[in-house]
Amino acid sequence: KAYDLIKQWLLERGMRQNHFADQIPVRQETLSRWLAGGTVPGRMALRRLADLTGLAVENREDGDERR
């Protein structure tokens, strides 16, 4: 899943959710819900997540591909 890729990306960089959320920009609580799979980011947020991480998270159900 795309949210697993993003969680791994954050972990590999030692980046805190609140710092990453500020860059999107969304509230940390919103990012946390996305990463838990509770809610799904909108199209603009997905685009921003892809831009920030370099991961192919847009329009991905399984989130396996990287750019």
Side-chain angles (χ1 to χ4, degrees):
K1 298 271 183 208
Y3 52 81
D4 288 328
L5 285 177
I6 295 168
K7 284 193 281 191
Q8 184 64 35
W9 186 89
L10 291 170
L11 183 64
E12 289 171 358
R13 285 153 185 78
M15 187 179 291
R16 297 176 59 95
Q17 284 186 19
N18 61 338
H19 177 71
F20 188 60
D22 287 344
Q23 294 178 32
I24 296 174
V26 295
R27 293 177 48 193
Q28 188 275 328
E29 293 84 0
T30 301
L31 177 61
S32 180
R33 283 193 293 269
W34 294 346
L35 297 179
T39 59
V40 178
R43 186 173 24 176
M44 296 295 287
L46 279 173
R47 199 169 294 145
R48 183 70 176 141
L49 287 167
D51 288 346
L52 290 169
T53 64
L55 300 171
V57 296
E58 294 181 88
N59 301 319
R60 297 280 307 155
E61 286 296 319
D62 60 5
D64 286 338
E65 290 185 22
R66 292 179 185 252
R67 282 191 194 175

